[in-house]
Amino acid sequence: MGGSAISGDLARNLLFGSCEVPLSVTRHNALPAYMGPEDLVILLSYSGNTAETLGCLKDALARQIPCVLVTSGGQFRALVDEHQIPVVPVEPGWMPRAALGELYFALLGLLSQLPGAGWIAPAAAVKQLLAERETYVPQVPQSENPAKQLAAKLFKKTPILFGVHPTTEAVAMRWKTQINENSKVTALHGIFPELTHNEIVNLAHAKHPHHVMVILRDPEDPALFQRQLGFARDIMRPSVDDVVELMAQGPDRLARQLSLVYLGDYVSVYLALLAGVDPTPVTAIFGLKDRMAAAELQEVR
Ligand code: PA5
């Protein structure tokens, strides 16, 4: 779920054109009916306490489907020890969404064993992000800082993050959820080409003076999208406040994917700071989890 599951989505996009076995992501508390002992479940939960992920773990054990757990600790431990489930430990002490690097690289390490996936080398991506950090950090003034500039454009607006299937789809979701959790504001997201069959209608139909469209692009976006984008933008543009197009930068797919993620993360934090909001706490998420846990305890009693 949330800041942990997004690594699964990013991996699905990254390996779309290469991995020779099906990859799917579930956010339910049980596994799909088609899964069996010949499959592999990779459970991603930074805290190791998330109810949906625990449900999948129990389901996998009941159906004898092999599992690997990527986590920083948590309450699954007893079950995991009892059933000798392999654990990939990640560094504790972060908010789950801030541990993306830990979770995603651990996941990619596992997935690189799959046929076709190949060894996914992180070096170019790390180098790319280190270079970008130079211009995104708080010390760099807004006039030279693209992350601060974009945050200023989105401040007091409703961003609509548009991604492209299968290149920047998960990146758009990451931007949306980072803006939800860090900036604590509403953000929408849509995916090309699907949105050209539905969402384009409402966006073109009426004025949305507070909406800013952010289109997240990659040099390897499908040719169909590249043809479609100009027309779709022309149809939607008159209804919204502004349109921003961002092209992923970097020498390989992983670097490009993470370059957009990284910019979005910074933008979401600067948006929070502009609003005078602390980006870290997610009181509503923890409040809901506490209530769910208390209700479950009550049921057991
Ligand atoms: O960012 C967050 O804090 C949430 O989206 C969590 O990632 C989500 O609630 C799932 O928790 P965990 O990542 O610990 O499994």
Side-chain angles (χ1 to χ4, degrees):
M1 306 304 295
S4 291
I6 195 69
S7 287
D9 297 318
L10 288 165
R12 220 162 28 96
N13 283 174
L14 188 78
L15 301 178
F16 184 88
S18 59
C19 186
E20 290 161 15
V21 296
L23 288 178
S24 69
V25 178
T26 181
R27 287 177 165 81
H28 182 34
N29 65 349
L31 299 168
Y34 60 72
M35 292 194 73
E38 69 286 0
D39 293 313
L40 174 69
V41 178
I42 301 177
L43 300 144
L44 292 166
S45 174
Y46 183 72
S47 64
N49 292 325
T50 299
E52 290 85 350
T53 324
L54 179 59
C56 286
L57 170 59
K58 288 182 176 166
D59 194 14
L61 289 170
R63 288 155 60 184
Q64 298 186 320
I65 308 173
C67 299
V68 182
L69 174 65
V70 181
T71 189
S72 69
Q75 294 165 5
F76 303 173
R77 208 68 217 204
L79 207 53
V80 162
D81 289 348
E82 187 191 333
H83 293 273
Q84 298 184 329
I85 293 168
V87 177
V88 181
V90 296
E91 191 181 88
W94 300 91
M95 294 302 275
R97 62 193 182 282
L100 180 87
E102 292 276 334
L103 295 165
Y104 191 32
F105 284 133
L107 176 63
L108 291 180
L110 292 167
L111 295 181
S112 63
Q113 311 292 320
L114 295 177
W119 174 244
I120 305 153
V126 171
K127 198 171 164 202
Q128 178 71 28
L129 302 196
L130 287 172
E132 289 179 12
R133 188 165 70 174
E134 300 289 310
T135 58
Y136 296 163
V137 288
Q139 295 81 347
V140 178
Q142 188 169 319
S143 57
E144 294 157 36
N145 188 324
K148 287 185 180 176
Q149 288 164 11
L150 187 50
K153 196 183 276 283
L154 298 180
F155 185 48
K156 296 195 174 163
K157 305 283 181 193
T158 301
I160 317 179
L161 292 318
F162 283 156
V164 184
H165 177 73
T167 45
T168 61
E169 178 181 19
V171 174
M173 176 79 161
R174 169 73 175 182
W175 273 64
K176 177 202 176 286
T177 54
Q178 288 292 81
I179 291 173
N180 295 150
E181 293 184 50
N182 291 337
S183 328
K184 280 118 183 125
V185 297
T186 298
L188 308 170
H189 95 303
I191 305 302
F192 278 97
E194 177 65 21
L195 72 90
T196 64
H197 299 270
N198 33 63
E199 225 161 343
I200 191 170
V201 177
N202 62 280
L203 282 172
H205 179 71
K207 294 282 174 214
H208 302 278
H210 296 293
H211 286 19
V212 176
M213 291 179 1
V214 181
I215 304 172
L216 300 162
R217 302 189 53 186
D218 184 275
E220 286 185 13
D221 282 335
L224 172 70
F225 162 78
Q226 307 211 21
R227 272 205 307 281
Q228 189 176 62
L229 174 64
F231 302 126
R233 197 183 38 216
D234 290 349
I235 291 169
M236 295 185 281
R237 175 70 188 90
S239 316
V240 298
D241 177 66
D242 206 351
V243 179
V244 179
E245 281 185 42
L246 299 169
M247 185 61 84
Q249 307 289 328
D252 62 24
R253 272 188 203 145
L254 180 62
R256 293 201 304 274
Q257 185 185 54
L258 289 178
S259 83
L260 283 179
V261 166
Y262 201 50
L263 175 59
D265 284 9
Y266 269 99
V267 169
S268 69
V269 171
Y270 287 134
L271 261 177
L273 300 182
L274 282 172
V277 163
D278 182 346
T280 301
V282 281
T283 315
I285 296 178
F286 287 131
L288 179 65
K289 285 182 180 179
D290 287 349
R291 286 189 209 185
M292 293 283 290
E296 201 178 304
L297 207 62
Q298 200 72 22
E299 227 168 72
V300 173
R301 282 182 184 146

